[in-house]
């Protein structure tokens, strides 16, 4: 009987070193018990399970991880981090991976999720606080999601929801700005 | 007594019902909430997903402002609470020079639910009950951020929290036990990936019904929004019928105290929360 051909992977320890040094989180402690994946509520939307992300890092499969939807789909509920028997901050690793993509201006596999984070951060930088009334509209324009929502007509439902919320006194007409905007700007500049 | 108060961005708008009911309950207990002057956004999920430095510095700024006042700070939003606690933890490990003021960690950061459910305040709340909510069958839904991860939140019962259960029982409510108290609702995915929220929340609705409850009680405005706002949409997608009002625990304290203002808070919900309470003769 012929043996199936297996793909060989060359291990690359550079990636795990980069993550462990950059985040201070010890991914090498993972022994693949899969407790993280078993408790994760969003595996149904992931292309790599959390335990696979840990293993891929150990093997140095940087590209595969950077292109995965998983890191963006992670809801940061911290169940994995809480339950890991080796105390690996798995949600923290997901954050570190997302931050690296942003820092290197890479492409996010879930570009709409990143678009939402970015307009949220822009709002903070601009005023010091988030103006919820403007957030959804800005997100739609920035992400291009309005095109999809126009096609499937869900944009009408969203507009109706917005109007109902406004009537119920849950949306403000004008944003609030803080006085210490210069302090916020300094924090943003420092992070660049 | 006087404490510092960090309301967070949502309580200024979409969670106005939460803000109003908190003001009423704290007023009734003689707790003076002093809003931190010129507080700024904690950065929420967006900051820790995109920038490590800002994920600590943004909540850190608020900690330094609170420490200038010198009083413990109470935080109603579990997301803000989680970010402030994370910043507290990180700043004590490594000083962040970019912060405008020094933070030494001498003030305590409280999750509002934890703060109000401590024994002496609990008995104060119970003493003011004018109509026990005895026919109301609910589950307590705690969500993720007030409890996890325990090394940051300092919570002991993080898998099966009890403080909201205890508080609601003190109001006379029939609290049903269930295993989904801290399962995620999808949080900020509601904008960019609503499909994820719909799947997670529909599962929760089914578990609520299995538990024999007729309503859900929360302490998080993000959970409230995700369970309340898309309920009709979720029912349509999954071809089911749901009518599950989602109350803030502070609203139910108000109802048990016969607050006249309760109807105003409840009128802001999307799923009608008043009919159920009227049927029980509570409003």
């Amino acid at each position: 009987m012929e043996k199936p051909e297996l793909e060989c992977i060359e291990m690359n320890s550079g990636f795990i070193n980069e993550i462990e040094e950059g985040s201070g989180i010890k991914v090498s402690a993972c022994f693949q018990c899969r407790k993280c994946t078993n408790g994760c509520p969003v595996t149904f939307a992931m292309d790599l399970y959390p335990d696979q992300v840990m293993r891929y890092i150990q093997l140095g499969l940087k590209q595969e991880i950077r292109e995965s939807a998983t890191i963006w789909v992670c809801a940061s509920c911290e169940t994995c981090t809480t339950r890991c028997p080796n105390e690996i901050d798995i949600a923290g690793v997901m954050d570190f991976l997302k931050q690296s993509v942003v820092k290197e201006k890479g492409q996010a596999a879930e570009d709409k999720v990143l678009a939402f984070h970015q307009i949220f951060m822009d709002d903070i930088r601009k005023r010091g606080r988030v103006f919820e009334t403007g957030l959804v509209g800005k997100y739609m324009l920035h992400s291009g999601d309005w095109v999809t929502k126009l096609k499937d007509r869900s944009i009408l439902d969203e507009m109706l929801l917005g109007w109902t919320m406004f009537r119920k006194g849950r949306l403000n007409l004008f944003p609030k700005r803080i006085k210490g905007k210069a302090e916020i700007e300094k924090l943003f500049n420092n992070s660049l | 007594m006087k404490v510092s108060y960090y309301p967070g961005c949502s309580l200024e708008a979409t969670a106005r019902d939460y803000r109003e009911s908190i003001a009423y309950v704290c007023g009734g207990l003689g707790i003076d909430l002093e809003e931190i002057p010129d507080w700024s956004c904690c950065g929420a999920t967006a900051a820790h997903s995109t920038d490590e430095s800002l994920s600590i510095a943004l909540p850190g700024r608020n900690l330094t402002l609170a420490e200038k006042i010198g009083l413990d700070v109470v935080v109603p939003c579990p997301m803000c609470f989680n970010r402030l606690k994370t910043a507290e933890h990180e700043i004590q490990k490594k000083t962040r020079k970019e912060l405008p003021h020094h933070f030494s960690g001498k003030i305590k950061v409280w999750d509002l639910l934890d703060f109000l459910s401590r024994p002496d305040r609990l008995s104060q709340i119970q003493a003011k009950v004018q109509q026990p909510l005895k026919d109301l069958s609910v589950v307590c839904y705690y969500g993720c951020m007030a409890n996890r991860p325990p090394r940051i939140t300092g919570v002991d019962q993080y898998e099966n929290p009890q403080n909201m259960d205890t508080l609601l029982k003190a109001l006379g409510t029939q609290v049903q036990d269930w295993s989904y108290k801290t399962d995620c609702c999808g949080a900020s995915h509601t904008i960019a990936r609503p499909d994820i929220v719909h799947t997670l929340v529909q599962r929760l609705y089914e578990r609520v019904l299995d538990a024999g409850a007729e309503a859900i009680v929360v302490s998080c405005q993000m959970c409230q929004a995700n369970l309340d706002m898309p309920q009709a949409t979720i029912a349509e997608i999954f071809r089911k019928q749901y009518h599950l009002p989602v109350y803030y625990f502070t609203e139910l304290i108000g109802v048990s105290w016969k607050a006249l203002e309760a109807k105003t808070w409840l009128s802001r919900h999307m799923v009608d929360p008043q009919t159920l309470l009227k049927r029980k003769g509570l409003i």
Side-chain angles (χ1 to χ4, degrees):
Chain A
M1 204 175 89
E2 243 180 276
K3 280 185 183 167
E5 252 182 68
L6 294 174
E7 197 192 334
C8 278
I9 299 166
E10 201 177 324
M11 265 185 74
N12 160 20
S13 59
F15 189 38
I16 191 167
N17 291 341
E18 185 187 316
I19 289 175
E20 293 199 339
E21 277 162 30
S23 68
I25 303 167
K26 221 167 156 30
V27 179
S28 49
C30 174
F31 54 32
Q32 294 283 291
C33 72
R34 295 189 176 169
K35 199 170 182 178
C36 50
T37 297
N38 283 319
C40 175
V42 282
T43 47
F44 66 89
M46 289 177 167
D47 49 4
L48 286 177
Y49 292 143
D51 70 277
Q52 291 175 314
V53 171
M54 296 297 112
R55 190 68 185 135
Y56 275 37
I57 294 173
Q58 291 173 342
L59 293 171
L61 300 172
K62 186 171 177 171
Q63 198 63 19
E64 285 80 350
I65 290 179
R66 287 293 188 84
E67 287 169 5
S68 79
T70 295
I71 57 175
W72 301 100
V73 159
C74 164
S76 307
C77 77
E78 311 255 9
T79 306
C80 51
T81 295
T82 299
R83 293 181 183 168
C84 175
N86 293 337
E87 298 183 357
I88 306 170
D89 179 4
I90 301 160
V93 174
M94 301 289 183
D95 277 344
F96 182 79
L97 292 164
K98 281 177 277 196
Q99 291 161 9
S100 316
V101 172
V102 174
K103 208 182 275 172
E104 291 160 26
K105 298 198 167 34
Q107 180 72 33
E110 290 282 332
D111 51 345
K112 286 177 182 168
V113 175
L114 176 58
F116 178 67
H117 293 326
Q118 284 171 330
I119 62 120
F120 198 97
M121 295 305 280
D122 284 350
D123 233 35
I124 301 176
R125 187 171 195 165
K126 210 160 143 195
R127 304 188 193 87
R129 287 186 199 169
V130 167
F131 177 48
E132 289 178 311
T133 313
L135 208 59
V136 177
K138 258 165 68 181
Y139 160 76
M140 294 261 214
L141 290 173
H142 185 70
S143 67
D145 217 6
W146 65 275
V147 183
T148 332
K149 295 200 176 190
L150 195 66
K151 277 185 192 152
D152 70 10
R153 291 179 162 224
S154 62
I155 203 159
L156 292 173
D157 295 336
E158 295 211 7
M159 284 164 80
L160 188 66
L161 178 68
W163 172 241
T164 314
M165 301 248 307
F166 178 71
R167 271 197 304 122
K168 287 175 180 282
R170 290 172 61 179
L171 290 176
N172 297 331
L173 269 184
F174 303 104
K176 281 192 181 168
R177 283 182 176 78
I178 67 158
K179 290 191 206 104
K181 255 182 60 191
E183 285 174 21
I184 300 289
E185 189 54 31
K186 205 177 135 198
L187 300 182
F188 272 84
N189 285 331
N190 184 73
S191 82
L192 296 172
Chain B
M1 75 176 294
K2 204 169 174 179
V3 287
S4 278
Y5 185 51
Y6 179 79
C9 304
S10 294
L11 268 77
E12 293 207 306
T14 50
R16 188 168 163 187
D17 33 14
Y18 196 18
R19 184 185 75 203
E20 291 164 342
S21 58
I22 292 167
Y24 179 86
V25 169
C26 289
L29 295 172
I31 299 166
D32 191 357
L33 299 171
E34 189 179 325
E35 198 165 313
I36 299 173
D38 211 39
W39 59 267
S40 48
C41 176
C42 74
T45 315
H48 72 73
S49 299
T50 55
D51 192 304
E52 197 278 336
S53 157
L54 287 170
S55 77
I56 304 303
L58 287 171
R61 176 181 181 269
N62 297 300
L63 286 178
T64 64
L65 292 175
E67 200 165 71
K68 272 202 339 193
I69 306 173
L71 300 168
D72 284 357
V73 55
V74 173
V75 189
C77 165
M79 180 84 232
C80 301
F81 167 74
N82 193 291
R83 293 319 303 166
L84 292 180
K85 288 296 282 184
T86 305
E88 180 189 38
H89 190 256
E90 292 297 319
I91 294 168
Q92 278 168 340
K93 257 190 350 203
K94 191 181 119 206
T95 321
R96 305 265 171 160
K97 282 193 238 38
E98 63 269 32
L99 290 175
H101 310 284
H102 178 69
F103 178 70
S104 68
K106 64 170 196 272
I107 55 163
K108 186 174 161 63
V109 180
W110 286 93
D111 158 45
L112 175 76
L113 171 62
D114 184 18
F115 182 73
L116 290 180
S117 57
R118 292 294 165 125
D120 33 342
R121 270 180 287 272
L122 188 67
S123 36
Q124 237 187 313
I125 290 172
Q126 199 170 15
K128 289 177 71 82
V129 172
Q130 292 192 31
Q131 49 173 9
L133 312 177
K134 58 182 176 358
D135 292 327
L136 195 63
S137 170
V138 303
V139 289
C140 295
Y141 178 58
Y142 296 77
C144 309
M145 300 280 83
N147 294 296
R148 278 192 303 264
R151 112 192 123 79
I152 298 293
T153 60
V155 170
D156 294 330
Q157 290 174 298
Y158 51 87
E159 291 284 5
N160 186 13
Q162 296 292 336
N163 50 7
M164 202 195 310
D165 291 55
T166 310
L167 198 155
L168 282 162
K169 282 177 193 162
L171 305 179
T173 319
Q174 289 174 36
V175 182
Q176 307 301 332
D177 202 11
W178 68 323
S179 302
Y180 303 86
K181 288 178 178 178
T182 61
D183 274 31
C184 183
C185 72
S188 69
H189 278 321
T190 196
I191 306 289
R193 287 293 306 266
D195 57 312
I196 292 181
V197 171
H198 294 161
T199 305
L200 293 172
V201 173
Q202 195 261 344
R203 282 184 197 166
L204 290 171
Y205 291 159
E206 288 297 319
R207 303 300 173 246
V208 174
L209 295 171
D210 288 347
E214 49 197 348
I216 305 163
V217 189
V218 297
S219 67
C220 170
Q221 84 292 341
M222 225 158 28
C223 298
Q224 206 282 341
N226 279 354
L227 268 64
D228 183 53
M229 272 191 224
Q231 203 170 107
T233 309
I234 293 172
E236 206 178 300
I237 295 171
F238 290 88
R239 293 165 197 265
K240 297 261 183 171
Q241 283 202 323
Y242 296 115
H243 184 83
L244 290 165
V246 189
Y247 301 103
Y248 288 110
F249 75 102
T250 42
E251 289 177 330
L252 289 186
I253 297 175
V255 170
S256 77
W257 291 358
K258 283 193 168 174
L260 294 172
E261 295 87 335
K263 278 189 179 172
T264 313
W265 316 328
L266 297 171
S267 71
R268 306 194 192 284
H269 291 213
M270 302 303 286
V271 177
D272 168 28
Q274 301 204 44
T275 308
L276 178 66
L277 295 178
K278 275 184 197 144
R279 215 166 60 220
K280 311 278 179 187
L282 294 168
I283 55 168

